Amino acid sequence: GFRHVGQTDKAPLSKSLLLVPSALSLLLALLLPHCQKLFVYDLHAVKNDFQIWRLICGRIICLDLKDTFCSSLLIYNFRIFERRYGSRKFASFLLGSWVLSALFDFLLIEAMQYFFGITAASNLPSGFLAPVFALFVPFYCSIPRVQVAQILGPLSITNKTLIYILGLQLFTSGSYIWIVAISGLMSGLCYDSKMFQVHQVLCIPSWMAKFFSWTLEPIFSSSEPTSEARIGMGATLDIQRQQRMELLDRQLMFSQFAQGRRQRQQQGGMINWNRLFPPLRQRQNVNYQGGRQSEPAAPPLEVSEEQVARLMEMGFSRGDALEALRASNNDLNVATNFLLQH
């Protein structure tokens, strides 16, 4: 569990942070509503009444159930860092950003009052929120983008889009949560860039890591499927699975069209499946059958010469590039995958 990357794929800490805070928030909301005042994140009480304990209690459990579920889901999606770096380093990042963000909360509120004369609300959103926003820093910097779909021209949906949307939902869930979000991002930048050597000061001791490994791992760990080939440098297991599923979907689609084309040709049907997905590599062999040339079923679709040129730069012939683009309705990605598979 709390060991180096390569020895932990089970992410027990992420799974515990998914379940435990949500269960505690539900417990407070449903069964112990009179105890919620103990978990209010009141910086004015910390500053004026020296209630230092609120810096801990007010920043552990969310009193808003929507924030609870959003933050828990985000931490669970960020378990890729626990698998990549190990549970101890992941826990140290969460601890460091949690401590630093408390300082940034104070600085932001004092700066708002000093420079703009704005007095922020005494109660900031409570819960384990700042480390969640801090994790967006390594997520943005180190996780590769894999395009899933393209919409509205230059806009595209990637494997990271849903995480950003979920983070935006959390960012807009309250009036002053933007203070906690900015504090979290600033603490994530400081910790990730190893500024002021905070990663050496704010880290989990080895004895504590061993203790939590002994307690959390048997409860929250579950092994990953072992039959998957681990390919790709720097890519995570989730991204690899997504790429493989997309590839299998395309292969299934191509094989279904190819099978339908063969059946229609054998039955003498009116639909010419060769128009949709032609067997490019065997075109010279099948175009002439019985000493006569096969007739096209429909006039050729207009294709982009720029896309033809790009396919030819990859080493494909002009004829194959034209046929693939017509078959894929000028979708360059689908045409490229089809040419590589046939």
Side-chain angles (χ1 to χ4, degrees), residues 203-222:
C203 63
I204 301 294
S206 58
W207 63 268
M208 187 179 294
K210 292 178 182 178
F211 172 76
F212 282 107
S213 175
W214 178 71
T215 55
L216 289 181
E217 187 170 338
I219 301 174
F220 294 105
S221 64
S222 61

Side-chain angles (χ1 to χ4, degrees), residues 13-240:
L13 179 60
S14 301
K15 294 172 183 177
S16 64
L17 290 174
L18 170 67
L19 298 175
V20 174
S22 301
L24 292 176
S25 295
L26 284 172
L27 181 66
L28 279 177
L30 300 179
L31 301 179
L32 302 170
H34 58 281
C35 296
Q36 287 188 345
K37 60 180 181 293
L38 299 175
F39 297 93
V40 173
Y41 185 24
D42 189 347
L43 282 180
H44 288 182
V46 174
K47 179 182 176 182
N48 300 327
D49 302 332
F50 299 102
Q51 297 181 3
I52 307 299
W53 54 273
R54 288 194 180 276
L55 288 176
I56 299 175
C57 295
R59 305 176 70 240
I60 293 178
I61 302 176
C62 290
L63 299 181
D64 190 326
L65 292 180
K66 298 190 302 295
D67 293 349
T68 300
F69 296 135
C70 279
S71 59
S72 298
L73 284 174
L74 282 169
I75 285 186
Y76 185 68
N77 277 283
F78 289 143
R79 71 191 183 278
I80 51 180
F81 295 113
E82 184 176 3
R83 290 172 175 165
R84 178 180 292 188
Y85 303 122
S87 297
R88 182 185 176 187
K89 189 173 181 181
F90 181 67
S92 297
F93 181 91
L94 295 178
L95 173 65
S97 58
W98 186 74
V99 172
L100 287 174
S101 60
L103 174 63
F104 287 129
D105 285 343
F106 268 108
L107 293 177
L108 283 174
I109 287 182
E110 293 297 325
M112 286 174 57
Q113 188 170 3
Y114 181 79
F115 291 106
F116 305 104
I118 300 175
T119 302
S122 59
N123 298 340
L124 290 180
S126 60
F128 197 71
L129 300 176
V132 175
F133 288 106
L135 284 167
F136 275 97
V137 175
F139 181 73
Y140 175 80
C141 297
S142 62
I143 301 300
R145 294 172 69 252
V146 178
Q147 182 172 323
V148 177
Q150 190 165 356
I151 55 174
L152 299 178
L155 298 179
S156 61
I157 298 176
T158 70
N159 57 310
K160 302 169 72 172
T161 301
L162 183 60
I163 309 299
Y164 287 132
I165 292 176
L166 198 57
L168 184 62
Q169 167 67 31
L170 184 61
F171 181 80
T172 57
S173 63
S175 301
Y176 290 98
I177 198 171
W178 63 269
I179 296 177
V180 178
I182 293 177
S183 299
L185 292 173
M186 292 171 64
S187 62
L189 282 171
C190 289
Y191 202 94
D192 194 58
S193 61
K194 301 180 180 179
M195 190 179 299
F196 308 121
Q197 301 299 312
V198 292
H199 67 288
Q200 295 181 356
V201 179
L202 300 173
C203 63
I204 301 294
S206 58
W207 63 268
M208 187 179 294
K210 292 178 182 178
F211 172 76
F212 282 107
S213 175
W214 178 71
T215 55
L216 289 181
E217 187 170 338
I219 301 174
F220 294 105
S221 64
S222 61
S223 59
E224 294 295 315
T226 57
S227 60
E228 297 182 346
R230 303 198 175 192
I231 56 173
M233 296 184 60
T236 64
L237 295 176
D238 292 338
I239 295 174
Q240 293 171 23

